[in-house]
Amino acid sequence: MLKLNFKKPKFIRSLKVRIFLIIFIIGLIPCIVMRYAILQNYEERAVSLRTSDVQTQLKILANHLITYRYLQDTSSEVIDAELNQLSNLYDGRVLIINSNLSVVKDTYGISEGKTIISEEVIRCMKGENTSKYDPNNGYIEMTIPIMETLEIQENDKHPSKSDIVSGVMLTSVSTDNIAVTLEILSRKALVVEIMVILVVFIVSVLASFALVKPFEKITDALSEVKEGYTNDPISVPDCLETEHIGEAFNKVLSRMKVLDDSRQEFVSNVSHELKTPITSIKVLADSLRVQEDVPLELYREFMEDITEEIDREDKIINDLLALVKMDRTAADLNISQVDINLLVEMTMKRLKPIAVKRDIELVYESIRPVTAAVDEVKMTLVISNLVENAIKYNKEHGWVKVTLDADHQFFTIEVADSGIGIPEDDLERVYERFYRVDKSHSREIGGTGLGLAITRSAILMHRGSIKAVSTEGEGTIFTVKIPLTYIAVS
Ligand code: ADP
């Protein structure tokens, strides 16, 4: 199908132009309609007044015609005078037609003796008044019947009276003076209309500028932030809408600031963490270099320390790489159906030697067999980080209990330990990168502060959740909840 790629012209897309057009058109339409309606109304009223005026005069005249029996004899000067007066008064022409449709009198003196058969005359002969306005030629044509009252004597009864139409007066009167008044009125209305249009135009321009002004202010404020002149929150309280835009922008700005701060903090943390082992290595190597005749024992001891620091550096780099990988999109997940029971068992088996070293009992309880759609590598990382922490931050001869359960939607892995616990205030922060409750203790036992950050990222990628409850000195329980089926977001 042909798709028309029609883009509105730029000026129509401008809010200012749209507001101007709306106000201008809304102001203009009533003005034009009113002018038209007033003129139309005046014309109708003037014509109907003129018609009823003339009709009244004609009715009086019709009575005189009967009295003077003018239809039979047109020699009455009184009637002629009345007829002339009437036609002069209304600048019109009067025709008197008898019952044979023959013209007995024409004030213009041209149609006398002629027969007139028109619809109006015939209707009038039946007793009906007619009137017709012809605006193009500027006259009103009307007919009124000439009524005569006859006395009818039937047999011996009393005589009865009856009105019969014995003729018609056909009159046309000029409406030129109505047209002249209309013309004058129309000219005056046009002047008023032009003035109103001017006022509406000015009001529309002012209103469109005034209404758009707050938006221009907000654009200026945004530009200032964009160009870096200021970092202050923007505020345009001129109207509710701009206030909302300002509030929304300030929220975005503060979120960006938080992100920027956390990025800076992360970079400085990374540099610091990577530098610490290198500084130690340098100190150890320098002290060996400056000493002469270093005993072999001391060499060996220092070399072991250096190897330990290199291992640490290696671990930090590996953890950082794992974290960076997690930060990528969920599209990198390699989802397959995994036997979670087996996964937990294998991971615990792998960690058993560290637990045995500290005489910590590892217990695994599986409530039911669970198979779920997960990324096996990332899920192994989750379980191993949690169980490793539970061992690392435990007491000698303590215990770690892992419980696996599921409902129809989620599976849960609970890792409980009898360790040192996490203070209430730190519970939410342990997932932050490089966050450690006790820095020196964590370093001592080889922690990087990245384990739980990696764990949480992996869980969130699976659309799961992690929470911890802890009592200082008694132990910690981490609970992970993951959907059994993976739902990819398109
Ligand atoms: P680390 O490499 O230091 O262990 P993590 O991100 O895994 O880093 O953990 C962050 C901090 O949370 C640890 O330094 C530790 O203080 C605390 N923590 C984690 N797990 C436990 C636990 N099971 N018991 C007590 N403290 C814990």
Side-chain angles (χ1 to χ4, degrees):
M1 212 172 81
L2 182 73
K3 196 180 169 196
L4 285 176
N5 200 358
F6 176 72
K7 203 168 178 222
K8 284 182 195 155
K10 202 170 176 184
F11 80 96
I12 284 287
R13 280 163 53 215
S14 149
L15 190 60
K16 216 184 267 174
V17 173
R18 286 186 195 183
I19 293 174
F20 165 77
L21 285 177
I22 291 170
I23 300 177
F24 190 60
I25 291 169
I26 289 177
L28 208 62
I29 290 174
C31 175
I32 294 171
V33 170
M34 254 164 68
R35 181 173 99 105
Y36 180 78
I38 288 172
L39 293 181
Q40 180 80 15
N41 203 323
Y42 166 76
E43 192 178 9
E44 273 169 22
R45 257 197 78 68
V47 167
S48 102
L49 255 170
R50 172 67 50 92
T51 310
S52 71
D53 256 11
V54 176
Q55 273 175 343
T56 314
Q57 295 293 331
L58 288 176
K59 269 182 201 153
I60 297 167
L61 192 62
N63 288 336
H64 289 180
L65 290 180
I66 295 300
T67 318
Y68 285 91
R69 298 187 56 76
Y70 195 78
L71 286 172
Q72 289 78 29
D73 173 13
T74 57
S75 61
S76 163
E77 280 176 12
V78 178
I79 298 295
D80 282 347
E82 277 185 28
L83 279 171
N84 285 334
Q85 194 189 10
L86 190 74
S87 48
N88 286 339
L89 187 63
Y90 293 109
D91 188 14
R93 178 183 183 185
V94 184
L95 272 79
I96 297 172
I97 300 159
N98 65 17
S99 53
N100 300 326
L101 304 182
S102 160
V103 178
V104 294
K105 174 77 186 169
D106 174 2
T107 51
Y108 279 14
I110 23 183
S111 299
E112 275 159 16
K114 288 185 184 164
T115 305
I116 291 191
I117 308 168
S118 75
E119 192 198 327
E120 283 78 19
V121 173
I122 293 172
R123 267 167 52 205
C124 191
M125 273 297 181
K126 291 176 185 160
E128 198 181 320
N129 284 355
T130 72
S131 85
K132 193 172 78 185
Y133 172 49
D134 182 345
N136 296 328
N137 298 315
Y139 67 86
I140 311 167
E141 192 184 83
M142 62 193 97
T143 57
I144 72 149
I146 304 167
M147 306 294 281
E148 200 171 352
T149 311
L150 289 183
E151 278 193 11
I152 299 166
Q153 180 82 49
E154 278 179 24
N155 306 332
D156 303 330
K157 290 179 195 162
H158 288 292
S160 62
K161 286 184 177 174
S162 167
D163 288 337
I164 58 150
V165 180
S166 49
V168 168
M169 287 174 89
L170 172 65
T171 315
S172 59
V173 291
S174 163
T175 54
D176 283 353
N177 55 355
I178 295 179
V180 170
T181 316
L182 209 60
E183 179 74 28
I184 294 167
L185 261 181
S186 167
R187 236 178 281 139
K188 280 186 179 165
L190 192 70
V191 173
V192 174
E193 196 176 276
I194 289 170
M195 273 158 57
V196 171
I197 290 174
L198 265 174
V199 171
V200 171
F201 180 85
I202 293 166
V203 168
S204 316
V205 170
L206 292 180
S208 65
F209 271 84
L211 289 173
V212 171
K213 186 109 191 130
F215 291 94
E216 284 174 347
K217 271 195 197 167
I218 210 155
T219 315
D220 291 345
L222 291 178
S223 305
E224 272 184 22
V225 175
K226 190 185 85 189
E227 273 146 35
Y229 297 130
T230 175
N231 257 339
D232 298 343
I234 66 166
S235 159
V236 183
D238 299 38
C239 63
L240 218 58
E241 286 75 9
T242 49
E243 203 176 314
H244 288 165
I245 296 176
E247 279 165 10
F249 179 77
N250 289 337
K251 275 186 197 150
V252 173
L253 199 67
S254 63
R255 259 188 67 186
M256 274 162 58
K257 273 189 195 145
V258 169
L259 280 178
D260 197 43
D261 288 351
S262 96
R263 190 181 55 84
Q264 275 181 13
E265 195 189 322
F266 179 63
V267 171
S268 78
N269 279 341
V270 168
S271 337
H272 176 74
E273 294 294 328
L274 288 175
K275 262 189 97 171
T276 316
I278 288 177
T279 316
S280 307
I281 293 169
K282 187 161 165 51
V283 169
L284 289 164
D286 274 352
S287 60
L288 283 180
R289 201 165 46 85
V290 292
Q291 278 185 54
E292 277 177 27
D293 304 327
V294 183
L296 196 66
E297 276 303 297
L298 198 68
Y299 241 116
R300 197 182 292 278
E301 197 192 317
F302 273 32
M303 276 320 228
E304 272 170 15
D305 286 350
I306 287 175
T307 317
E308 233 174 67
E309 290 299 329
I310 290 174
D311 284 345
R312 237 188 97 63
E313 184 89 23
D314 189 49
K315 193 166 184 321
I316 297 171
I317 290 172
N318 283 337
D319 275 1
L320 273 173
L321 286 176
L323 196 67
V324 170
K325 267 191 196 162
M326 293 291 176
D327 278 350
R328 288 208 209 122
T329 55
D332 295 330
L333 279 181
N334 190 6
I335 302 289
S336 62
Q337 285 296 327
V338 177
D339 180 344
I340 306 292
N341 296 67
L342 193 66
L343 195 75
V344 178
E345 253 173 56
M346 296 299 290
T347 313
M348 287 180 77
K349 207 167 157 187
R350 205 163 42 77
L351 294 171
K352 186 118 189 156
I354 337 174
V356 171
K357 239 191 238 173
R358 301 189 61 201
D359 191 24
I360 288 166
E361 191 189 359
L362 274 189
V363 185
Y364 173 45
E365 187 185 359
S366 167
I367 312 280
R368 68 192 83 240
V370 178
T371 310
V374 291
D375 181 317
E376 191 169 349
V377 177
K378 293 196 170 74
M379 203 39 66
T380 311
L381 212 61
V382 168
I383 301 162
S384 89
N385 273 343
L386 290 176
V387 177
E388 203 179 322
N389 276 353
I391 299 169
K392 280 193 313 192
Y393 301 102
N394 218 316
K395 297 170 195 152
E396 297 281 322
H397 321 299
W399 52 262
V400 173
K401 188 177 176 194
V402 181
T403 315
L404 174 68
D405 196 2
D407 57 21
H408 62 288
Q409 253 186 317
F410 298 94
F411 70 89
T412 45
I413 300 173
E414 197 182 274
V415 181
D417 64 55
S418 59
I420 56 171
I422 304 169
E424 178 87 39
D425 293 344
D426 297 293
L427 262 184
E428 279 306 308
R429 300 201 61 192
V430 287
Y431 308 104
E432 287 172 23
R433 295 173 289 195
F434 295 115
Y435 190 82
R436 283 163 284 199
V437 176
D438 182 345
K439 239 185 167 101
S440 58
H441 179 239
S442 170
R443 265 181 67 82
E444 224 171 80
I445 51 177
T448 60
L450 293 172
L452 283 180
I454 297 170
T455 304
R456 196 169 76 135
S457 281
I459 292 166
L460 293 183
M461 278 171 102
H462 285 86
R463 307 197 197 296
S465 63
I466 180 166
K467 66 175 183 15
V469 283
S470 184
T471 315
E472 258 185 284
E474 282 184 23
T476 310
I477 304 171
F478 276 95
T479 311
V480 175
K481 198 169 171 186
I482 308 262
L484 289 170
T485 44
Y486 177 73
I487 309 143
V489 179
S490 53

